[in-house]
Amino acid sequence: MRRVATAARPDWRAKAAECGFGFHTIDDAPYWDESAYYAFTLREIEQDLEAPSEELHAMALEMVDRIVGSERHMQQLAIPEPYRDWIAQSWRERQPHLYGRMDFAYDGSGPAKLYELNYDTPTSLFEAAFFQWQWLEDQLARGQLPAGSDQFNSIQESLVEAFGTIARRIARPFHFAAVRDSAEDQGTVAYLRDCALQAGIDGALLAIEDIGLSEDGRFTDLDDQVIGCLFKLYPLEDLFRESFGSYLPRAGLQLIEPPWKALLSNKGILPLLWEAHPGHPNLLPAEFNTGGELPRGWVRKPLHSREGANIAMHLDDDRELATDGPYHGPCIRQACHPLPDFDGHHPLIGSWVVGDRACGIGIREDRSLITQDSARFVPHAIIEEARGVLIA
């Protein structure tokens, strides 16, 4: 694995506009960055990222089975009591799911280390699945990559296939919803709707703020039509706290991602995985935080936090880093395993699992060891090497 500086496509902004990638720049700062790419060998991809992703995914699903049968685990994950039976039932029915993203620290040497699971509302999907693949094809055509370069990326094909697999189990009418004013979230659900259409599933787009409630407690769209299935790019734990949330267990609404995904997007899954698989090469020691001073060599994370918010890190060299944010409440502690440093850039590898299969990666890099919402998305390529000479 290495970071390679390269020339950006002169027309990449025009291409982004053509395909609806309107959030390539956020708050006047670049989000998409193709001034460099990360090069991997096929062995690194297959052995160090793809295979561990599938193994960890299977371990996580096995853990869901344990959690839904344990009030203790539900309490450790701070799942509100009114929603526990609903979540457990969604798992027992094996309600269909679509995708998830695991975040890893990896530098090309040693096993990739799991930071967390993003299994309820994972983003950076469009740029990983579509736009970085377009970058690969364009750079090959321009001679900016060695002939034969590839990419670990069958995300779009996997999404279409996964939608096709669950099509018969999706209640109708089907809607896609996200926060109205979030360009990134709206772009993500528009992309997912297009993938669903390719699988023969039609679904309407809806702002999450426009969802209503019928007199008999069912969720409705702007035409007062009862929603059968809702793909919601909105954290389930946030819905729990909102006034309409109390209707979820009895509204008859099918969700994608399903309620049981709330157990995997919760960082409490990390100490439970470590407890079940101590010493696993891809896991970091983790425990439920009991409060007090954060020891050296540990990171504190709230059970629910996103975009690197409310993280506290106490490095082995006694440096301390912390971020602000809106997330409070119970936390976990995880052993500190800092992101690698490539000339001042710290890449976090997001490994996508779609339909229970690892199918691609996306990389976000930050100048800080804590990957925040200011991180940039940088593409990748698979480039084989032998005796230090690129194989063309």
Side-chain angles (χ1 to χ4, degrees):
M1 178 183 174
R2 54 199 173 90
R3 190 179 192 273
V4 182
T6 189
R9 295 168 293 171
D11 59 347
W12 75 263
R13 288 179 177 81
K15 293 199 169 188
E18 284 176 16
C19 64
F21 187 14
F23 52 94
H24 58 73
T25 301
I26 300 175
D27 296 331
D28 297 322
Y31 168 59
W32 171 266
D33 183 359
E34 58 180 71
S35 64
Y37 67 91
Y38 282 90
F40 297 85
T41 66
L42 187 60
R43 183 203 63 78
E44 289 172 333
I45 291 292
E46 290 184 341
Q47 296 182 22
D48 294 349
L49 294 171
E50 182 179 13
S53 294
E54 296 202 343
E55 181 183 4
L56 291 170
H57 176 72
M59 288 161 49
L61 295 185
E62 179 183 290
M63 186 55 61
V64 173
D65 210 39
R66 299 188 191 186
I67 295 171
V68 298
S70 167
E71 277 296 307
R72 173 175 164 266
H73 288 337
M74 286 284 197
Q75 291 170 2
Q76 287 176 311
L77 270 58
I79 302 298
E81 195 279 330
Y83 300 98
R84 292 175 188 173
D85 289 344
W86 177 60
I87 289 171
Q89 187 62 28
S90 74
W91 172 252
R92 295 187 185 107
E93 294 174 358
R94 297 300 192 271
Q95 291 181 11
H97 66 111
L98 186 67
Y99 69 157
R101 193 191 77 231
M102 300 181 186
D103 286 342
F104 288 106
Y106 177 68
D107 65 357
S109 62
K113 297 293 186 179
L114 179 69
Y115 269 23
E116 62 189 47
L117 303 173
N118 297 276
Y119 267 42
D120 181 29
T121 59
T123 53
S124 76
L125 178 65
F126 172 80
E127 47 273 40
F130 182 85
F131 205 64
Q132 78 164 337
W133 182 260
Q134 186 186 78
W135 167 86
L136 177 80
E137 292 183 326
D138 289 347
Q139 295 294 63
L140 279 168
R142 295 177 65 234
Q144 292 293 311
L145 291 171
S149 296
D150 202 354
Q151 196 173 87
F152 179 34
N153 190 357
S154 60
I155 303 171
Q156 179 160 311
E157 300 94 312
S158 299
L159 285 167
V160 174
E161 181 183 340
F163 270 119
T165 299
I166 66 175
R168 294 183 180 180
R169 301 186 63 194
I170 293 178
R172 303 302 198 275
F174 183 32
H175 288 69
F176 291 85
V179 174
R180 178 185 288 109
D181 294 331
S182 172
E184 181 181 3
D185 289 358
Q186 287 291 336
T188 299
V189 294
Y191 172 67
L192 282 164
R193 179 176 181 267
D194 184 66
C195 290
L197 284 169
Q198 292 180 51
I201 304 171
D202 195 6
L205 291 172
L206 184 67
I208 200 87
E209 297 91 338
D210 289 334
I211 296 175
L213 196 68
S214 68
E215 290 184 359
D216 59 353
R218 294 189 291 172
F219 292 94
T220 59
D221 62 17
L222 285 171
D223 297 322
D224 292 329
Q225 183 181 41
V226 172
I227 300 170
C229 181
L230 181 69
F231 179 96
K232 49 109 198 111
L233 197 62
Y234 194 81
L236 195 55
E237 69 269 13
D238 288 351
L239 287 177
F240 291 164
R241 292 191 291 267
E242 296 181 3
S243 58
F244 285 0
S246 61
Y247 291 90
L248 283 168
R250 58 183 187 274
L253 175 68
Q254 181 184 12
L255 292 178
I256 298 180
E257 295 297 295
W260 57 264
K261 281 293 194 78
L263 306 177
L264 296 179
S265 63
N266 186 309
K267 291 178 182 60
I269 193 71
L270 299 169
L272 294 181
L273 283 171
W274 180 254
E275 180 182 287
H277 305 277
H280 190 284
N282 298 113
L283 294 176
L284 291 168
E287 59 190 40
F288 288 97
N289 186 36
T290 55
E293 185 176 345
L294 183 65
R296 184 183 299 184
W298 288 87
V299 179
R300 181 184 291 121
K301 303 178 179 182
L303 294 184
H304 300 113
S305 68
R306 286 170 168 76
E307 308 280 4
N310 297 99
I311 303 298
M313 180 181 294
H314 193 169
L315 297 159
D316 285 333
D317 61 10
D318 213 28
R319 284 183 297 152
E320 296 186 50
L321 303 174
T323 56
D324 295 326
Y327 304 103
H328 305 286
C331 296
I332 65 146
R333 290 198 303 221
Q334 186 181 52
C336 186
H337 182 90
L339 292 171
D341 186 332
F342 288 83
D343 298 322
H345 304 277
H346 303 287
L348 179 72
I349 298 179
S351 180
W352 288 94
V353 177
V354 178
D356 298 314
R357 184 176 70 240
C359 57
I361 61 171
I363 300 173
R364 291 171 296 146
E365 65 173 22
D366 204 307
R367 290 290 189 174
S368 167
L369 287 173
I370 301 175
T371 308
Q372 301 176 68
D373 56 4
S374 57
R376 300 169 304 281
F377 189 101
V378 179
H380 81 278
I382 300 172
I383 299 175
E384 283 302 310
E385 298 184 11
R387 301 184 183 90
V389 179
L390 291 176
I391 298 176

